[in-house]
Amino acid sequence: MFSRILIANRGEIALRIIRACRELGVQCVVVYSEADRHAHYLSLADEAICIGPADPAESYLNIPRIISAAEISNVEAIHPGYGFLAENAHFVEICRDCKINFIGPAPESMHLLGDKVQARKLAEKSKVAVVPGSDKAVANEDEAAQLAEKIGYPVIIKAAAGGGGRGMRIAHNEMSLRVAFHSAETEASSAFKNADLYLEKYLEQSRHVEVQVLADHTGNTLHLWERDCSLQRRHQKLVEETPSPGLSTEVRQELCKAAVRLAKAAGYINAGTFEFLLDKNNKFYFSEANTRIQVEHPITEMVTGIDLVQWQLRIAAGENLKLRQKDIRQQGSAIECRINAEDPANDFAPCSGCIDRFIPPGGFGVRLDSHVYPGYRISPHYDSLIGKLVVHKKTRAEAIACMKRALQEFEVGPVKTTIGLCREILTHRQFVKGKVDTGFIERTW
Ligand code: ADP
């Protein structure tokens, strides 16, 4: 195991990684921007290094500054968390050149899976269905219109370099396609500095179900079952749960096996997630791979009893999985609600400012992953996630009851949050029946 690592991230995930390090007896160095100077978790690390101003380009995304911090603090490895540099293969290559271990997959698998077009080809080779769509970036509006005619409306336009649901547009006919194509192009080039777009059949009333995978250097590739992330707003996840309600044992097995096949085909090592869309008939299609730890990883940890972040460190340090597939059981039911500083009544506009009131919930079955405390100031420079409320109970009905009472206890103010909306979702009869799809929140609220 490493003796000292650096955490190239902030907020709740930096704290999550510090906790894993503490339990493993690994020293940790955390980097921070000037905006995070007062974050409490900094005092839990063995060393904290300021790497620049609030703007991510000057700090958390700044490779030379992060590498310098790693070199002066004498670490053996870097954990990237999620977002920022976590899926940047160039950064991983630089770590390799500097003889610093990267806690995540090799840059080759990251390149392969990070490119949506190449990932689709890999899926086809691995006999995993993909959503019908373009097998390369579409050159222009006319080509997009021709292709849409071929695959049939509705279609979804996506940014090739996309992420976080940005740059996506749904079109129901040629006229809306032509309008959407231009706005998606503008958004993609400003958000990702890459205007390439591609087209897919839009699966109506589909569910988002993803599979957690762990793989070691010997090729032992295991799945840790699925997470249902169908509750989304603007194509971004809000509530996640495992097991996915309404999935038959057979489909669940097939889905998990498909994820393992994909991971093996990509030569994948470490923790990764394979995302699928399930149509109304429970037919599943591979959508994309995330080559990092996911925000929603705790629900998998709760039902399997496996600490994913600790395993990321162990695998990166060369340790092999001592587990076999049949040892990994999905026990009970877990739900996560993302608590964001956002105003659901105002199109989920992010809220910044000081959190004066912060009364966290607790009790049997409740886990809160949050870096926030009373007096914490939310910076407008970063995402709006202020905590992840997770519950784990024997049955789904008990987990829902537990989450409802935990949300009731949770008080955050004066900033607006998603707590109230999550409470309404958990009470909604469609959710209780387990019958929701990715459009549910937008149709209902
Ligand atoms: P990102 O990388 O931006 O997160 P994804 O490809 O993971 O984008 O898609 C995010 C969400 O957008 C999915 O969970 C789903 O709700 C919706 N989505 C994406 N592709 C399709 C599709 N072909 N049909 C229906 N919904 C889709």
Side-chain angles (χ1 to χ4, degrees), residues 97-139:
D97 292 345
C98 297
K99 311 238 175 324
I100 301 170
N101 288 287
F102 177 80
I103 302 173
E108 294 75 17
S109 346
M110 215 180 247
H111 268 305
L112 184 61
L113 294 169
D115 179 319
K116 295 199 186 202
V117 174
Q118 281 204 61
R120 285 172 68 91
K121 286 196 184 134
L122 185 85
E124 280 161 18
K125 242 176 44 199
S126 314
K127 307 233 171 331
V128 179
V130 290
V131 186
S134 49
D135 46 20
K136 56 178 174 32
V138 277

Side-chain angles (χ1 to χ4, degrees), residues 116 120 131-132 154-156 158-159 161-168 170 192 198-210 229-230 232 234-237 275-277 285 287-290 292 437-439:
K116 295 199 186 202
R120 285 172 68 91
V131 186
V155 295
I156 182 165
K158 292 185 178 183
R166 284 191 298 175
M168 283 189 196
I170 299 161
F192 311 113
Y198 72 105
L199 214 68
E200 266 177 20
K201 171 102 188 146
Y202 180 69
L203 301 175
E204 290 179 286
Q205 290 176 34
S206 56
R207 297 178 73 99
H208 172 122
V209 183
E210 59 187 32
C229 310
S230 302
Q232 309 178 346
R234 295 174 170 173
H235 307 300
Q236 282 183 286
K237 300 159 188 168
E275 299 189 336
F276 300 86
L277 290 171
Y285 303 86
S287 107
E288 65 164 4
N290 290 137
R292 54 170 158 80
D437 59 74
T438 59

